[in-house]
Amino acid sequence: MAREMQKTSMFIQHNPVDYENGDIQKNLDDDGREKRTGTWLTASAHIITAVIGSGVLSLAWAIAQLGWVAGPAVLMAFSFITYFTSTLLVDCYRAPDPVHGKRNYTYMDVVRAYLGGRKVQLCGLAQYGNLIGVTVGYTITASISMVAVKRSNCFHKHGHHVKCQTSNYPFMVIFACIQIVLSQIPNFHKLSWLSILAAIMSFAYSSIGLGLSIAKVAGGEHARTTLTGVTVGVDVSGSEKVWRTFQAIGDIAFAYAYSTVLIEIQDTIKSSPPENKSMKRATSIGVSTTTLFYVLCGLVGYAAFGNDAPGNFLTGFGFYDPFWMIDFANICIAIHLIGAYQVFAQPLFGFVEGKCSRHWPDSKFITREHAVDVPFYGVYYINFFRLVWRTAYVIVTAVIAMIFPFFNDFLGLIGAGSFWPLTVYFPIEMHIAQTKMPKYSFRWIWLKILSWICLVVSLIAAAGSVQGLIQSLKTYKPFQTQ
């Protein structure tokens, strides 16, 4: 068998032996693509990796802005909204029937199947703009966690009063080098092991943060907390209270959002039992697990730090000791973000590669796979276009992260722009179209009300993000060390 083979799709990994034996069909699904092997368990890992970001450690700050009453209420409200709209989106993976209809491989494909028109382009703009922003943001956040390890050791050695400034840039380069290697994982279907590892890491550092908060509370240290959060005239001014409340609501809303990659995750699941059934189970597990950790870390963290809760109590040094545990937690954050970067980057990789392979189907550079024997792995198929494009993408995101280290504020704005359309509007509109729901029926009315409420939340969060971005620009100093 020749060492090179021409492929018709960049997303199908065929083994040449299958062709020789004449039983390639056994390894293909009903749509002619490589047989999917994912389960509700692997899908749950993908969801947890996507949802429980290191932002879980900033929830104590969010609760501090809202207080004991509004904080938990907002957490539970967005937990319900995310779960409900996700189950609607899950049923749209196949069209027109959720069990026997034609598969849709991406969010844009789903919108095209049910809504069509300009809404497809709007969906793509919101989805892929968000994915690019997330990968840049994760590069920054991972480097902060890596820096925190070095600073933690410095504080332990020289005392807490020392500044221990360290540049983020070398750590961004290290993160980018790791991502260049991992980006050669061909597609989402091969990503399960990395997502499972990342999910374990998220449990680890969340548990450490929770445990340290409990120890702080149990140690008898009194932190001032209130029913309404930070107090006007004591902690903040009236305008600061408003802006911080907006930002906190936005942080919580976007902390749950994973709709940008939901369809791509569902496309990894095998067809028996039906994909929507397995995905609903994975969604239930993912969202409930996330909510449990969010409530525990947010509320216990607020009890530990009160109205002075830091933005991130591991990288922001809400704790200094035991330093080795802080180091381990920050290493776990970095490993988790390494996996999360891939979960958000793979749909973008697939979109660009699919477009190019359809536009230039005769280009050997774009479509040809070259088989290479890798020790301890077996045969790996290298595609030169995939190698060049993905490497270039990782380098560009790393450079943007180095130039604009305040990009996380901008990421909040991107999140505000994508939360309503991707998490709420499109799932509801597609559910209405799929079920042929009568206009002005009771269910139609309350679904529309839910959509409008979430639009208002997105606008509020966008306003808070713009204000935060303006403040960051005012204090921004290029090439400043962390």
Side-chain angles (χ1 to χ4, degrees):
M1 186 70 184
R3 297 292 289 170
E4 294 182 349
M5 52 180 287
Q6 185 76 23
K7 289 174 50 178
T8 58
S9 169
M10 295 196 67
F11 305 106
I12 308 173
Q13 292 287 328
H14 296 325
N15 190 331
V17 176
D18 295 330
Y19 288 96
E20 294 175 349
N21 295 339
D23 53 16
I24 182 64
Q25 291 300 324
K26 289 195 295 186
N27 297 309
L28 298 181
D29 263 328
D30 55 358
D31 59 346
R33 294 197 170 195
E34 182 183 12
K35 204 166 192 67
R36 295 157 178 84
T37 57
T39 64
W40 63 267
L41 184 61
T42 58
S44 298
H46 286 315
I47 292 170
I48 291 169
T49 300
V51 179
I52 303 185
S54 58
V56 66
L57 302 175
S58 68
L59 286 176
W61 178 89
I63 299 297
Q65 312 314 308
L66 300 171
W68 285 116
V69 178
V74 171
L75 272 172
M76 297 309 297
F78 283 108
S79 171
F80 170 76
I81 291 170
T82 302
Y83 173 73
F84 174 68
T85 57
S86 295
T87 58
L88 300 184
L89 185 56
V90 162
D91 282 334
C92 296
Y93 169 66
R94 287 181 181 265
D97 182 78
V99 177
H100 304 293
K102 179 180 176 294
R103 295 176 189 267
N104 295 288
Y105 308 117
T106 67
Y107 204 136
M108 283 182 69
D109 290 340
V110 173
V111 174
R112 185 179 291 109
Y114 284 99
L115 302 177
R118 290 193 175 275
K119 291 179 180 178
V120 180
Q121 284 71 40
L122 291 174
C123 170
L125 184 65
Q127 181 185 12
Y128 295 113
N130 181 262
L131 293 177
I132 293 170
V134 168
T135 53
V136 174
Y138 279 1
T139 303
I140 297 169
T141 309
S143 70
I144 291 172
S145 293
M146 294 175 183
V147 164
V149 174
K150 191 170 182 179
R151 295 183 71 204
S152 173
N153 293 333
C154 175
F155 287 136
H156 178 71
K157 186 175 181 180
H158 301 291
H160 300 171
H161 62 283
V162 181
K163 288 186 177 181
C164 292
Q165 290 184 330
T166 303
S167 174
N168 289 23
Y169 299 149
F171 297 97
M172 289 184 184
V173 172
I174 293 171
F175 183 82
C177 290
I178 295 171
Q179 292 302 338
I180 287 173
V181 175
L182 292 177
S183 291
Q184 302 314 310
I185 295 174
N187 49 48
F188 228 128
H189 305 277
K190 310 292 184 183
L191 207 61
S192 298
W193 66 271
L194 186 59
S195 280
I196 291 172
L197 175 63
I200 293 171
M201 292 297 103
S202 67
F203 287 136
Y205 68 71
S206 298
S207 300
I208 290 172
L210 178 62
L212 290 173
S213 296
I214 292 173
K216 188 177 177 69
V217 173
E221 294 185 41
H222 177 70
R224 186 172 58 85
T225 62
T226 60
L227 292 178
T228 56
V230 291
T231 307
V232 175
V234 179
D235 303 302
V236 292
S237 65
S239 61
E240 284 178 326
K241 173 70 174 179
V242 173
W243 289 119
R244 286 191 177 195
T245 299
F246 287 176
Q247 290 173 357
I249 292 173
D251 285 352
I252 293 172
F254 309 133
Y256 277 104
Y258 68 99
S259 297
T260 47
V261 292
L262 185 147
I263 295 298
E264 285 79 2
I265 292 173
Q266 190 169 353
D267 191 44
T268 67
I269 298 176
K270 58 186 179 182
S271 57
S272 179
E275 301 92 348
N276 64 333
K277 183 178 180 181
S278 296
M279 194 62 186
K280 284 179 181 178
R281 185 178 183 184
T283 297
S284 176
I285 292 171
V287 173
S288 59
T289 302
T290 299
T291 301
L292 176 63
F293 271 88
Y294 280 8
V295 169
L296 287 175
C297 289
L299 298 187
V300 177
Y302 181 43
F305 294 101
N307 292 345
D308 296 323
N312 184 319
F313 55 64
L314 286 178
T315 61
F317 291 95
F319 303 104
Y320 288 94
D321 294 300
F323 83 98
W324 60 268
M325 187 174 287
I326 306 298
D327 287 354
F328 179 71
N330 281 300
I331 290 170
C332 289
I333 293 173
I335 294 173
H336 171 253
L337 292 176
I338 287 170
Y341 183 104
Q342 286 300 313
V343 168
F344 283 93
Q346 284 291 342
L348 181 64
F349 293 157
F351 172 73
V352 172
E353 290 157 16
K355 280 280 188 183
C356 292
S357 63
R358 287 189 293 271
H359 194 72
W360 296 287
D362 298 324
S363 171
K364 294 181 179 179
F365 174 73
I366 293 175
T367 60
R368 178 163 291 183
E369 300 279 335
H370 303 270
V372 176
D373 284 320
V374 179
F376 308 110
Y377 175 83
V379 178
Y380 176 77
Y381 293 95
I382 293 178
N383 175 276
F384 290 136
F385 174 69
R386 183 169 66 227
L387 177 65
V388 172
W389 139 244
R390 296 189 181 192
T391 300
Y393 177 82
V394 172
I395 291 173
V396 168
T397 55
V399 170
I400 293 173
M402 291 177 182
I403 297 173
F404 304 109
F406 58 83
F407 194 86
N408 276 341
D409 295 300
F410 187 59
L411 180 60
L413 184 58
I414 295 174
S418 61
F419 167 75
W420 175 70
L422 297 178
T423 302
V424 182
Y425 174 74
F426 284 126
I428 286 177
E429 292 299 312
M430 289 188 292
H431 175 69
I432 290 173
Q434 183 185 55
T435 59
K436 297 180 174 61
M437 191 179 299
K439 200 171 185 180
Y440 302 117
S441 63
F442 176 75
R443 185 174 174 84
W444 185 92
I445 290 173
W446 77 259
L447 283 174
K448 289 289 186 177
I449 291 173
L450 175 63
S451 181
W452 280 103
I453 290 173
C454 290
L455 173 59
V456 172
V457 170
S458 280
L459 293 175
I460 286 173
S465 296
V466 169
Q467 193 269 347
L469 186 60
I470 291 171
Q471 293 299 318
S472 295
L473 286 168
K474 286 180 179 178
T475 59
Y476 173 55
K477 295 179 181 178
F479 310 109
Q480 187 177 33
T481 56
Q482 177 69 27

